[in-house]
Amino acid sequence: MTHTEHLDGGDALVSAFNAVGADYLFCSSGSEWAPVWESLARRHRDGEPAPRYLDLTHETVAVGMATGYGLVRRRPQGVLLHAAPGLLQGSMAVHGALLAGVPMVVSSSESTTYGDGPGQDPGGQWYRNLSIVGGPHGVAEPFTKWSTEAASVHTLPTMITRAAELSWRAPAGPAYLNIPLEIFLEEWDGREAKPIVAPGSTHSSPEEVDAVAQMIREAANPVIVTETAGREAGGFEALAAFAEAWHIPVVEPDSAVCGNFPRTHPLHAGGDIGPWMDEADLILLVNCRAPFYPPSRRPSKAKIVVIDEVPQRPHVVYQVLFADRYLEGNVANTLRQLAKRAKDVDEAVVTARRAAQEERHAAEQAAIAAAESKAAKAQGVDPVLVAATLRRLLEGGDAIVVDETITHSRVVKRHLRTAAPDSYFYVQGGLGQGIAVALGVKLAAPQRPVVLTIGDGAFTYNPIVPSYDASKAYELPLLVVVFNNRVYKSMNLNHRRFYPDGAAAETGEWLGTDLHRLPRLAQFAEPFGMHTETVDTPDALAPALERALKAVTEGTTAVVDVLVTR
C-alpha cells in the first residue's frame, strides 16, 4: 500500500470475509460497493489474499449462485446487493436459501447522512430514491435468519464474522447485515477479525438414544420419513447405514429438498407417506419439517420420533409433528448412534418386514419399467421418456441434478433415480432461481456434470440473460433440459380442481396458463454462443441430449427444449 492510501470500511469487509473463509463474494453491483472494489483492486495489485469476486448482473443470480455453492460446500459465502431495491429484487432467492438451509451473509447499504454530514458525499440518489423507512435490515428480517445494522467501521469485521457464525449454525440460513455507505468510507484501524471455525457437533444423550432404539426394537412396521437428511455433511451415508442396520423402509415425500437416500436402494419406499398412515406403528421423522398434509392428518396408531437438530423451525409459520419423542442432537451423529444399537432384534419380525419391503420394491420397479415402456411407444415425447433417457446418459458420470420442475417433479425424481450424496437438489422458494442455483452448484463442483431440469413456466421466470452471462463469463457449463408443455399446467389444474363445472370449463377460457405464444426457448442461448436443441419427436431425443452433453463436456452450456406431450 502506498503512503497516500488508507484503510477504510471496504478493507474491513474484505478482511472479514477472509476471516470467515468465504471463497466468493457474489455481487450484483451497486453504488455502495466502490470501497470494496477499491480494496479488492489493491489486494490484487499487491498479491494479498481475498475472496474471489463474481460480478453478476442480477440479484437473483447472485443469491441463487451462492445458494447452489452452499448446497455443496456448506460454508457461508458473501452476497453483496444494492441498497433496499436490490435486496427486494433478490429477496425471493434469499427466502429460498432460508428454506433450503444454506448459510450465507447477505449485505447491502443505505445512507445515514444524506450529504449533510462531514466526509465524502454519498450521492443524492440515497436521499431521493434508495432509502427506506426502518432501513433495509427491517426489510430483510422476515426472510432471513438474522438481520441487523453495522453501526461502526470498528465493529464491522466482527459483525460480519458473527453473522457468518449465526448463519452456519442449525438451522442454517442467510443472515443479513446493513452496512451504511458512510461506514464504508470511514477510516479503519486494521483490527482484523479472528478466523471462524466450523460449528461444534451436538449429540443426543445415550439415554435418549437407548430409549428410541428400544422403540424401534419393539416396532413391527416402522418407517423413516425424511426431507433434508442429505443436506447435512454425512447425513446421506448415515441414513443409509441406519436404515440398513434396522431394515427400515425410507420414504422421501414430495417436500424433500435434496437427495437423502439412494433411490435405487431396495429400502427406498417412494415418495408417498399415505400407505403408512394406517400401517406403521412407528414413524421416524428424520429432518422432516412438514410430514403430514393437511397438518391435522394424524397417523392412526404410530408413535412418532422426531430426529432433528432443530425440529421446530422458527421460519415455518405452522408446523405440526405429533411427536412422542425428540432426538435433538446432530442428525448424522444420532443416526450413527442408533445404527450401533441395532441388536437383539426379533428376526422373525425383521424377516416379515424385509419381505414386505421387497414386495413393495419389486412392484415399484415393475411400475417404473412399465411407465418407461409405455412412454417409449408414445406418439410424442412423454416426460417419462425424457427423464429415463437422461438417467441412461448420465449413468456412471457422477452428475448432479438441480430440479426446478413443478408438474414433472415426481417424474424427474422417480425416473432419474439419483443414488449418491449431493446428486439431487430441488430449488426452494419461488420459481425463477433454477439456472442460478445450478451455476452455483457447478462452481462448487467444477469436475462434475450439472444438469438443470426445468419446466417452461419456471424457465421464463428466470433472469435468462444475466444467468447465461454468468455461465459464459465464469466458464460454468450446464446442461439445461426444458420440459416444455407450453402451459402453466399446475395453475390450470388448480383452476379445474376448484371449479370443475365453472364458466372456464364451459367456455374453454383458461386464463393465466397459456405459454404457446412464447418463441422457442432454446433460442435465447444462441447470442451467447451456446449449444441449442429443440426436440419434438421421440427418435430425436437421445441424439439431441448426447450432442448437448458432449458440448457441456467441451465447456459450453447446452439448452435442450423438449416439447413434451403433457
Side-chain angles (χ1 to χ4, degrees):
M1 186 173 71
T2 67
H3 69 280
T4 59
E5 295 173 330
H6 66 272
L7 300 176
D8 60 17
D11 299 290
L13 180 142
V14 174
S15 172
F17 277 111
N18 268 336
V20 165
D23 301 312
Y24 290 93
L25 295 176
F26 299 86
C27 182
S28 177
S29 297
S31 52
E32 66 263 53
W33 300 119
V36 173
W37 297 332
E38 181 64 17
S39 175
L40 290 169
R42 283 200 296 263
R43 286 172 178 265
H44 296 159
R45 179 196 66 191
D46 299 338
E48 297 176 356
R52 185 181 174 191
Y53 175 86
L54 298 185
D55 200 357
L56 305 165
T57 53
H58 196 282
E59 292 83 356
T60 298
V61 176
V63 181
M65 286 185 66
T67 297
Y69 191 85
L71 285 169
V72 176
R73 294 297 178 91
R74 299 179 173 89
R75 286 181 61 92
Q77 305 298 312
V79 179
L80 311 180
L81 306 178
H82 176 44
L87 174 63
L88 288 167
Q89 182 72 268
S91 61
M92 179 187 67
V94 178
H95 181 245
L98 180 69
L99 296 179
V102 175
M104 64 180 66
V105 178
V106 182
S107 291
S108 68
S109 198
E110 64 179 343
S111 174
T112 54
T113 66
Y114 306 109
D116 280 343
Q120 297 194 56
D121 180 7
Q125 74 274 16
W126 297 93
Y127 180 53
R128 293 189 301 270
N129 299 320
L130 294 181
S131 294
I132 192 164
V133 174
H137 48 294
V139 172
E141 186 175 359
F143 52 84
T144 57
K145 181 180 176 182
W146 180 81
S147 178
T148 194
E149 177 184 13
S152 167
V153 72
H154 304 295
T155 59
L156 175 58
T158 305
M159 290 287 280
I160 290 173
T161 56
R162 171 169 161 73
E165 289 185 327
L166 281 166
S167 78
W168 205 355
R169 278 153 177 80
Y176 173 79
L177 194 60
N178 168 29
I179 310 171
L181 179 54
E182 288 82 354
I183 300 297
F184 277 130
L185 295 171
E186 279 187 33
E187 189 167 341
W188 176 52
D189 60 13
R191 287 180 292 178
E192 296 189 0
K194 183 182 183 298
I196 66 172
V197 296
S201 61
T202 59
H203 295 259
S204 297
S205 72
E207 294 79 12
E208 291 172 320
V209 178
D210 284 340
V212 171
Q214 186 59 30
M215 293 175 72
I216 300 173
R217 204 170 283 118
E218 294 170 356
N221 197 18
V223 65
I224 297 164
V225 185
T226 183
E227 292 176 336
T228 63
R231 189 186 60 199
E232 296 189 12
F236 189 99
E237 299 88 341
L239 180 59
F242 167 56
E244 289 169 354
W246 290 93
H247 303 285
I248 305 175
V250 177
V251 172
E252 286 185 285
D254 292 337
S255 51
V257 307
C258 59
N260 303 289
F261 191 79
R263 286 191 166 264
T264 54
H265 198 290
L267 286 172
H268 197 286
D272 184 10
I273 192 177
W276 301 92
M277 296 297 284
D278 293 324
E279 296 177 12
D281 55 0
L282 178 65
I283 296 177
L284 299 146
L285 300 179
V286 180
N287 267 18
C288 195
R289 58 194 168 161
F292 312 116
Y293 190 83
S296 59
R297 185 190 180 199
R298 186 169 191 160
S300 60
K301 61 183 178 182
K303 293 286 187 181
I304 297 175
V305 175
V306 175
I307 303 173
D308 195 321
E309 193 167 5
V310 185
Q312 296 294 338
R313 306 294 171 86
H315 62 271
V316 177
V317 174
Y318 184 61
Q319 188 181 16
V320 181
L321 299 175
F322 297 122
D324 294 290
R325 186 177 290 272
Y326 288 103
L327 291 178
E328 298 189 39
N330 173 270
V331 168
N333 286 337
T334 301
L335 294 176
R336 293 187 194 107
Q337 293 302 311
L338 285 168
K340 291 177 181 178
R341 288 163 168 77
K343 303 171 183 176
D344 302 321
V345 296
D346 187 327
E347 290 298 335
V349 171
V350 170
T351 298
R353 189 157 73 222
R354 184 187 292 115
Q357 177 55 25
E358 287 174 354
E359 185 177 340
R360 280 189 293 264
H361 183 71
E364 173 65 3
Q365 299 313 297
I368 289 173
E372 292 181 3
S373 177
K374 180 180 178 182
K377 298 172 184 175
Q379 290 298 313
V381 185
D382 191 280
V384 169
L385 180 65
V386 182
T389 304
L390 264 177
R391 183 188 71 240
R392 290 192 290 270
L393 294 176
L394 296 175
E395 190 172 8
D398 197 26
I400 303 174
V401 176
V402 177
D403 188 17
E404 197 177 26
T405 60
I406 298 296
T407 304
H408 302 114
S409 61
R410 294 180 183 178
V411 168
V412 169
K413 292 175 185 176
R414 190 184 193 203
H415 293 276
L416 275 179
R417 303 180 70 201
T418 53
D422 293 340
S423 60
Y424 174 85
F425 298 104
Y426 190 77
V427 177
Q428 295 295 288
L431 295 175
Q433 310 169 59
I435 304 178
V437 172
L439 289 170
V441 168
K442 182 65 177 179
L443 187 68
Q447 303 307 315
R448 299 177 66 181
V450 176
V451 180
L452 172 67
T453 53
I454 188 169
D456 52 326
F459 182 89
T460 58
Y461 284 160
N462 276 257
I464 300 298
V465 170
S467 298
Y468 287 165
D469 171 64
S471 174
K472 189 77 177 286
Y474 297 109
E475 299 180 343
L476 300 170
L478 306 174
L479 171 59
V480 179
V481 180
V482 185
F483 287 67
N484 188 348
N485 57 9
R486 281 82 73 201
V487 65
Y488 283 124
K489 192 160 187 180
S490 63
M491 304 179 193
N492 183 252
L493 289 174
N494 266 355
H495 191 158
R496 292 174 183 271
R497 180 162 62 93
F498 297 148
Y499 303 98
D501 301 314
E506 179 184 348
T507 64
E509 184 182 10
W510 301 106
L511 300 177
T513 65
D514 184 23
L515 294 177
H516 281 86
R517 65 181 183 271
L518 294 177
R520 293 280 66 85
L521 301 182
Q523 293 176 351
F524 291 101
E526 292 176 358
F528 294 89
M530 295 171 175
H531 182 92
T532 63
E533 301 263 3
T534 299
V535 176
D536 59 2
T537 63
D539 291 344
L541 178 63
L545 290 173
E546 288 173 349
R547 290 189 296 268
L549 280 168
K550 184 174 184 292
V552 172
T553 301
E554 294 170 351
T556 301
T557 285
V559 183
V560 182
D561 181 18
V562 186
L563 307 184
V564 294
T565 55
R566 57 187 175 94

